[in-house]
């Protein structure tokens, strides 16, 4: 792979670095001409993301099959394999295997220094119950899913949901079953929800990816209102749907210290690699140590976002809010509006981060017309 070339505007960028050639160049050019905008915007993220260190890029290219993808479809297939193989990994080397790529030395520049955020600062992690149960059913941790299944009826009063397959009928049945599970847990009260949250955490370990989190104080009004639709819009969770359910954890930075090596970072700035194939992610500007949410509502501000190791054990139970929140309306009504959402977010970043570096960075990566 050629070194970065400076001041040649005709050369395309990958990770905000100009290249004469790159193993992904042909795949990216193919994907950028795709009629479906989602894939075009994912490639836009990977091209403009200055947060990817060179050493981590080398690690990405060494992932099996990714060094020379034969097509855009091949690149996307490897992206999904990378998520499972390099991001859904144990967060402790004591458990064997790889660490998640986010925690490895190649990603040190995205670690947030431990003293940067006060230990009492509260974070919020919002996860989709439907997605977590589906993740368990699709090979993420089949043995753990089996253990959860054995006690599922005791925990929830409901049967373990049937795994959905390709046809819409089975997906509708799965969503209906999760709806009944969530309602039954809420009826049983906060302690039942928290006990279930711990069992879910136990089942997901050690294959649970790092948690995306925002700072709880910034999103407090939506939390107090129990507004699932508003939370999804504020956090940029455009991949979720009406009828699904959120499970929330609110915790302090100090809660993360026991899972991290002494002196190590407990919070991390996300990159396009952790966002995987989401067009609702948008890289944060140069010089900003956090990620930035891309809100789906024009009235919302952008919030800071970070990654951290998942809570486990008693903390996974005790820091769960104890209430499952329904998403009563789609976070985004028209997925054809993704391009306009991203253009609006660019203008938001220019207002919130009015620096020369922000303007130059966005100028290097013009918005899709």
């Amino acid at each position: 792979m050629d070194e970065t070339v400076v001041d040649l505007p005709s050369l395309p960028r990958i990770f905000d670095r100009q290249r004469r050639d790159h193993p992904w160049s042909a795949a990216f050019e193919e994907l950028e001409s795709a009629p479906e905008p989602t894939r075009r915007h994912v490639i836009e993220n990977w091209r403009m993301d200055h947060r990817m260190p060179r050493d981590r890029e080398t690690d990405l290219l060494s992932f099996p099959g990714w060094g020379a993808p034969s097509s855009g479809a091949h690149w996307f297939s490897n992206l999904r394999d990378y998520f499972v193989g390099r991001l859904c990994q144990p967060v402790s080397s004591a458990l064997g295997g790889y660490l998640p790529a986010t925690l490895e030395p190649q990603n040190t520049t995205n670690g947030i220094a431990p003293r940067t955020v006060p230990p009492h600062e509260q974070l919020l992690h919002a996860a989709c119950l439907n997605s977590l149960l589906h993740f368990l059913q699709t090979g993420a941790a089949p043995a753990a899913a089996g253990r959860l299944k054995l006690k599922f009826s005791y925990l929830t009063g409901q049967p373990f949901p049937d795994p959905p397959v390709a046809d819409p009928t089975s997906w509708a049945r799965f969503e209906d079953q999760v709806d009944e599970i969530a309602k039954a847990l809420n009826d049983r009260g906060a302690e039942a929800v928290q006990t279930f949250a711990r069992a879910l955490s136990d089942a997901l370990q050690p294959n649970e990816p790092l948690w995306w989190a925002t700072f709880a104080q910034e999103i407090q009004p939506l939390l107090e209102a129990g507004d699932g639709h508003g939370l999804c819009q504020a956090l940029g969770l455009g991949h979720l749907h009406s009828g699904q359910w959120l499970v929330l954890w609110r915790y302090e930075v100090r809660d993360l210290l026991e899972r991290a090596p002494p002196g190590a970072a407990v919070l991390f700035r996300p990159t396009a690699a952790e966002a995987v194939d989401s067009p609702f992610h948008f890289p944060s500007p140069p010089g900003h140590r956090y990620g930035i949410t891309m809100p789906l509502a024009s009235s919302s501000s952008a919030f800071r976002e970070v990654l951290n190791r998942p809570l486990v054990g008693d903390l996974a139970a005790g820091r769960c809010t104890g209430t499952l929140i329904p998403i009563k309306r789609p976070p985004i009504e028209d997925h054809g509006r993704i391009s306009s959402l991203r253009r609006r977010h660019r203008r938001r970043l220019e207002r919130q981060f009015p620096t020369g570096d922000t303007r130059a960075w966005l100028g290097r990566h013009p918005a899709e017309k």
Side-chain angles (χ1 to χ4, degrees):
M1 181 174 61
D2 289 352
E3 291 296 317
T4 299
V5 180
V6 180
D7 293 333
L8 292 176
S10 62
L11 291 179
R13 292 176 180 268
I14 296 178
F15 301 128
D16 200 32
R17 297 188 278 271
Q18 288 185 308
R19 306 297 171 82
R20 290 188 183 277
D21 192 18
H22 191 281
W24 294 347
S25 293
F28 277 21
E29 289 172 8
E30 175 191 334
L31 290 163
E32 285 169 328
S33 63
E36 206 286 311
T38 297
R39 292 194 167 190
R40 299 199 302 268
H41 294 316
V42 171
I43 298 308
E44 181 183 23
N45 285 343
W46 286 70
R47 284 202 184 279
M48 72 190 305
D49 197 347
H50 59 90
R51 304 168 296 187
M52 181 61 67
R54 291 178 186 274
D55 287 348
R56 188 169 175 194
E57 180 184 3
T58 299
D59 182 67
L60 283 166
L61 293 172
S62 71
F63 188 76
W66 226 3
S70 59
S71 66
H74 184 198
W75 186 87
F76 258 92
S77 175
N78 285 336
L79 174 59
R80 289 186 286 270
D81 291 343
Y82 176 82
F83 171 70
V84 174
R86 294 293 282 117
L87 297 178
C88 300
Q89 292 292 324
V91 298
S92 170
S93 57
L95 298 175
Y98 290 108
L99 286 172
T102 313
L103 304 184
E104 291 193 336
Q106 303 96 303
N107 197 51
T108 300
T109 56
N110 286 307
I112 298 170
R115 296 181 182 274
T116 303
V117 182
H120 64 267
E121 187 82 60
Q122 292 191 337
L123 301 170
L124 177 82
H125 170 60
C128 175
L129 176 62
N130 309 61
S131 298
L132 292 176
L133 291 173
H134 182 238
F135 181 68
L136 281 170
Q137 292 174 322
T138 53
R147 291 194 294 272
L148 178 62
K149 188 174 182 178
L150 289 175
K151 54 186 176 182
F152 200 85
S153 179
Y154 168 76
L155 291 168
T156 69
Q158 297 291 316
F160 197 75
D162 299 322
V165 291
D167 70 279
T169 301
S170 74
W171 273 102
R173 183 172 62 251
F174 172 76
E175 299 284 11
D176 287 344
Q177 289 176 309
V178 177
D179 194 54
E180 293 302 315
I181 291 163
K183 291 175 180 176
L185 280 166
N186 277 344
D187 287 344
R188 289 185 169 203
E191 185 175 349
V193 174
Q194 292 172 324
T195 300
F196 178 76
R198 173 167 185 167
L200 192 59
S201 169
D202 291 344
L204 289 165
Q205 294 298 312
N207 300 91
E208 187 175 11
L210 269 65
W211 284 5
W212 290 71
T214 192
F215 288 82
Q217 191 61 38
E218 295 182 9
I219 204 164
Q220 182 68 24
L222 293 170
L223 279 176
E224 291 177 349
D227 183 357
H229 168 76
L231 283 168
C232 288
Q233 285 204 316
L235 299 177
L237 302 180
H239 61 289
L240 301 184
H241 310 289
S242 60
Q244 295 186 317
W245 291 79
L246 296 176
V247 52
L248 306 176
W249 284 266
R250 185 169 183 164
Y251 49 100
E252 295 184 349
V253 171
R254 73 174 89 249
D255 293 328
L256 305 171
L257 296 174
E258 67 179 50
R259 298 207 76 193
V266 296
L267 302 177
F268 298 84
R269 179 176 59 174
T271 74
E274 285 84 17
V276 197
D277 58 357
S278 174
F280 299 103
H281 177 72
F282 198 104
S284 51
H288 192 63
R289 63 167 58 98
Y290 304 101
I292 296 291
T293 62
M294 186 177 82
L296 308 179
S298 58
S299 59
S300 179
S301 298
F303 302 115
R304 293 176 295 167
E305 60 185 2
V306 294
L307 299 168
N308 61 256
R309 296 167 178 83
L311 298 183
V312 298
D314 290 343
L315 285 175
R319 301 300 186 261
C320 175
T321 61
T323 302
L324 300 173
I325 305 295
I327 304 172
K328 295 182 178 179
R329 289 188 290 147
I332 177 171
E333 299 283 352
D334 178 7
H335 281 250
R337 294 184 54 243
I338 294 175
S339 297
S340 63
L341 285 172
R342 291 176 65 88
R343 288 194 297 270
R344 185 173 69 199
H345 188 63
R346 293 170 68 95
R347 295 191 294 270
R348 181 186 289 114
L349 292 179
E350 289 175 331
R351 292 193 304 271
Q352 288 192 220
F353 305 94
T355 68
D357 284 345
T358 298
R359 290 191 297 272
W361 170 63
L362 292 174
R364 292 193 295 271
H365 305 277
E368 183 180 273
K369 301 298 185 184

